[in-house]
Amino acid sequence: MSIPVLTAVAWPYANGPRHIGHVSGFGVPSDVFSRYQRMVGNRVLMVSGTDEHGTPIQVQADAEGTTPRELVDRYSRVIQDDLVGLGLSYDLFTRTSTDNHHRVTQDLFTALWHNGYVRTEKTLGAISPSTGRTLPDRYIEGTCPICGYPSARGDQCDNCGNQLDPADLINPRSRINGETPQFVETEHLLFDLPAFSKSLASWLDTRTHWRPNVLNFSRRLAEDLKPRAISRDLDWGVRIPLDGWQDAPMKRFYVWFDAVIGYLSASVEWAQRTGDPDAWKQWWCDPESQAYYFMGKDNITFHSVMWPAILLGHNGEGDRGGEVGSFGRLNLPTEVVSSEFLTMSGSKFSTSRGTVIYVGDFLREFGPDALRYFISVAGPENQDTDFTWDEFVRRTNFELANEWGNLVNRSVSLAAKNVGAVPEPTAPDPADEALLAQSRAAFETVGAHLARSRFKQAIGEAMRVVGEANAYLSHQEPWKRKDDPARRDTILHTALQVVQDANTLLTPFLPHAAQKVHEALGGTGVWAEQPHREDAGTSGELGTSHSVLTGDYASEQARWESTPIPVGRPLARPTPLFAKLDPSLGETGPSWAPIQTGE
Ligand SMILES: [Zn+2]
């Protein structure tokens, strides 16, 4: 049965290029999952985009002497290039600066407002006197009133560890331009999160299949909820559709609020682009549909608590009740799939410390599948994991090239040289049947792991089939069977069938290599589809000119099953699937990210 599966992928913030730690959290896992779901025949909608509002964008644009619009135009394009290069199969990757996103955000807010889950409150807030914009706590520093540390931040003192209020700092100053912040009374919107404590807790009680760290963390958050601001004094973001606020020059939604609504707005935009404006409802309103959210662990809060609370408020399902909003009753996440951090020398990737590996640099030198493989087999699925060039070289050379690349190469080469086509098998012996049974059985075991987002176990099982096939060839030695061509051909046919099965099992992880193996086995047409960039134009309701990532994944041939390889199909000698890396790379790193040595 075909199920609608929403793959909701965390939105990269458009303030710079992404590093490999980012795509190990939200990117590769969500794509492996989506490709598998499509192969089993489910109707996948994979959406995301660049997150383009908020103070950090404004601050960085000021620092670079440009406008927020110019900044996000530039970085959304850089990020799109990286994600296309990695082969992430988005149905729609869009932007939060579109008219459509602004309208969906306002409509969802209107439902929360109407149901009484948002109130206004006058607070004392810091603003920059020169710009009139909110000066967020972490952009204010001063002397700690408790310990006297001169560089305490507005939200906490790094010396004594106490939580602070920026109004308490002695000699407060802006970290952006050094001016003294002004503390003024300003009106803000507060989202009544405590009104969802009960409904969130009972919903989380039904999520027993989540990764335990995500579930336990979310339960603790839901026990201690406080009202949360959803507005800022800022002139870059989504306008607030209330009298007196709509036209205010310095009132916008807080970026966290509009960013999580992107999952819905991107789905709505996707539907508009297909010509069936209600098509998004299959993934959001059908009770049979499933929704999986992928992110790094620093974003769990927004996906397991904030976004579900917004959905419950829109549905009228918090303590205050209410009516179902204009989108109809919206589904909560089926699962929040969070990764831990990919680190380098034990620390998070950091541009300022020089420990950063950008996706674009990586793809230019090594191509996408080596990185996809590394993240899948050795990434931070369940614990923080250190990236080392040494391990990357070892995995690429000994697993991808020696194990998988070599199996494809020698199976196809031998058949091409001796027969010129897929050979015909005669009487199979027990060793042939045992190997074929193993590769057929792997579809169920690997598939069960993928359906549960257990990527390491899944790729481990798929690579086990590869290992068994290599052992089989070494033992059967078809290259020594010149005097018994019937037996030789049976062995080669068996090997080619297992190559085809293993290629199918590895397709979600290695879609670019999978296309090459498909062609090496004599196949034609698109086995695994790749995303591309499209100009989304200025037409219709979208209003803005912007480009998106999308793809025609329905036309790809890959299906999650063992299909018999056609006897007699012509074969040519293949080109090597994976280039081996120079082992010295493991000691030095590449020239653009050299390993830091010394004290
Ligand atoms: Zn202190």
Side-chain angles (χ1 to χ4, degrees):
M1 198 183 73
S2 173
I3 301 168
V5 174
L6 177 73
T7 307
V9 192
W11 291 55
Y13 198 55
N15 64 340
R18 294 300 89 178
H19 57 63
I20 62 170
H22 290 129
V23 296
S24 72
F26 72 80
V28 172
S30 62
D31 185 63
V32 171
F33 179 81
S34 297
R35 287 181 181 273
Y36 166 73
Q37 292 289 350
R38 289 192 192 102
M39 286 172 75
V40 298
N42 286 330
R43 300 198 300 282
V44 173
L45 181 64
M46 176 172 169
V47 291
S48 186
T50 37
D51 175 5
E52 303 190 352
H53 297 132
T55 303
I57 295 279
Q58 178 75 61
V59 169
Q60 192 172 334
D62 288 349
E64 294 188 18
T66 185
T67 61
R69 164 65 69 180
E70 194 283 326
L71 189 87
V72 298
D73 278 351
R74 173 152 40 99
Y75 285 125
S76 75
R77 194 147 188 105
V78 169
I79 291 168
Q80 284 189 356
D81 285 343
D82 290 347
L83 305 183
V84 163
L86 259 176
L88 304 185
S89 57
Y90 294 100
D91 291 279
L92 189 72
F93 184 89
T94 179
R95 310 175 57 177
T96 57
S97 55
T98 62
D99 286 354
N100 171 72
H101 175 73
H102 285 221
R103 189 176 49 76
V104 170
T105 300
Q106 290 167 343
D107 289 352
L108 209 47
F109 165 78
T110 300
L112 298 178
W113 179 259
H114 180 78
N115 285 339
Y117 292 110
V118 179
R119 63 187 159 85
T120 60
E121 189 181 76
K122 287 205 164 70
T123 60
L124 207 56
I127 60 161
S128 156
S130 61
T131 65
R133 293 178 192 130
T134 293
L135 201 50
D137 295 353
R138 64 196 162 108
Y139 287 106
I140 303 173
E141 67 177 14
T143 302
C144 175
I146 298 162
C147 74
Y149 181 62
S151 305
R153 285 201 324 249
D155 51 352
Q156 78 166 37
C157 173
D158 286 339
N159 188 49
C160 67
N162 280 294
Q163 302 275 309
L164 301 175
D165 188 307
D168 299 335
L169 288 174
I170 302 159
N171 295 327
R173 59 195 173 271
S174 162
R175 295 176 65 203
I176 299 166
N177 59 12
E179 67 187 352
T180 305
Q182 220 176 345
F183 292 92
V184 295
E185 188 173 74
T186 179
E187 193 169 32
H188 278 297
L189 298 173
L190 288 182
F191 181 41
D192 187 7
L193 276 169
F196 300 97
S197 279
K198 277 195 238 106
S199 44
L200 283 171
S202 52
W203 170 67
L204 286 169
D205 281 344
T206 65
R207 305 290 97 185
T208 49
H209 55 286
W210 288 15
R211 292 179 184 170
N213 55 334
V214 181
L215 184 59
N216 294 334
F217 178 72
S218 305
R219 279 186 164 139
R220 284 197 300 275
L221 290 174
E223 281 167 11
D224 186 29
L225 292 171
K226 295 182 177 58
R228 189 138 174 165
I230 60 169
S231 64
R232 294 302 244 176
D233 291 314
L234 192 67
D235 48 1
W236 174 243
V238 180
R239 287 182 182 275
I240 295 163
L242 292 176
D243 287 346
W245 295 66
Q246 174 74 48
D247 300 317
M250 280 291 171
K251 291 293 181 196
R252 296 292 188 278
F253 282 118
Y254 203 154
V255 61
W256 76 262
F257 180 75
D258 91 75
V260 292
I261 295 173
Y263 301 115
L264 178 61
S265 72
S267 305
V268 169
E269 182 184 340
W270 172 84
Q272 287 171 354
R273 289 169 53 79
T274 67
D276 177 4
D278 285 335
W280 61 271
K281 291 183 178 172
Q282 293 172 64
W283 287 271
W284 286 90
C285 303
D286 177 350
E288 296 301 311
S289 70
Q290 300 182 355
Y292 295 84
Y293 291 71
F294 289 84
M295 74 221 62
K297 66 179 168 185
D298 47 343
N299 273 319
I300 294 174
T301 312
F302 297 103
H303 296 88
S304 67
V305 174
M306 311 290 210
W307 176 230
I310 293 171
L311 292 166
L312 288 164
H314 167 272
N315 294 344
E317 294 169 357
D319 287 354
R320 298 172 199 280
E323 295 172 0
V324 176
S326 59
F327 294 98
R329 189 180 180 282
L330 297 170
N331 293 332
L332 270 60
T334 304
E335 184 169 358
V336 171
V337 185
S338 158
S339 298
E340 306 289 304
F341 290 138
L342 191 67
T343 55
M344 203 160 185
S345 309
S347 304
K348 281 181 77 173
F349 283 99
S350 155
T351 317
S352 56
R353 283 194 306 272
T355 50
V356 68
I357 301 170
Y358 289 115
V359 174
D361 293 332
F362 203 101
L363 294 178
R364 269 186 290 280
E365 180 143 359
F366 305 111
D369 282 8
L371 180 56
R372 296 177 61 111
Y373 181 78
F374 183 88
I375 289 171
S376 300
V377 78
E381 186 173 314
N382 297 306
Q383 58 189 19
D384 289 356
T385 303
D386 229 27
F387 176 87
T388 65
W389 287 108
D390 194 50
E391 188 175 10
F392 174 69
V393 170
R394 192 174 61 75
R395 297 269 186 191
T396 303
N397 287 354
F398 291 99
E399 295 175 13
L400 274 185
N402 278 8
E403 289 285 314
W404 177 223
N406 201 23
L407 175 66
V408 175
N409 196 59
R410 61 179 175 162
S411 305
V412 178
S413 293
L414 280 170
K417 191 175 103 187
N418 288 293
V419 187
V422 177
E424 182 164 12
T426 44
D429 79 7
D432 311 334
E433 282 169 349
L435 181 66
L436 290 169
Q438 269 190 324
S439 79
R440 273 196 304 270
F443 284 89
E444 188 159 339
T445 48
V446 176
H449 289 314
L450 284 174
R452 300 284 312 277
S453 295
R454 293 187 295 226
F455 304 110
K456 274 186 192 190
Q457 285 170 284
I459 200 167
E461 287 292 316
M463 288 299 284
R464 206 165 57 82
V465 173
V466 172
E468 297 288 347
N470 274 318
Y472 165 86
L473 275 182
S474 299
H475 188 68
Q476 297 290 331
E477 299 182 308
W479 48 88
K480 287 189 183 170
R481 307 254 184 177
K482 284 198 173 59
D483 51 347
D484 187 359
R487 178 64 196 143
R488 178 198 67 200
D489 287 0
T490 301
I491 296 166
L492 289 177
H493 181 273
T494 304
L496 290 173
Q497 179 63 52
V498 175
V499 166
Q500 164 135 319
D501 288 350
N503 191 46
T504 308
L505 295 167
L506 289 167
T507 294
F509 304 99
L510 309 173
H512 306 84
Q515 179 68 36
K516 285 202 226 170
V517 174
H518 170 70
E519 290 163 12
L521 291 171
T524 54
V526 176
W527 174 258
E529 182 67 46
Q530 296 299 343
H532 60 270
R533 187 179 358 237
E534 254 177 38
D535 183 0
T538 53
S539 61
E541 295 177 8
L542 299 179
T544 50
S545 170
H546 72 294
S547 62
V548 298
L549 304 183
T550 185
D552 178 20
Y553 310 107
S555 65
E556 67 185 7
Q557 296 169 29
R559 294 288 172 273
W560 194 256
E561 61 195 9
S562 173
T563 48
I565 185 155
V567 170
R569 191 156 75 181
L571 295 176
R573 286 187 74 103
T575 50
L577 204 52
F578 298 101
K580 277 205 183 185
L581 303 174
D582 182 343
S584 72
L585 182 74
E587 291 151 34
T588 61
S591 58
W592 41 267
I595 292 173
Q596 312 282 328
T597 54
E599 308 303 295

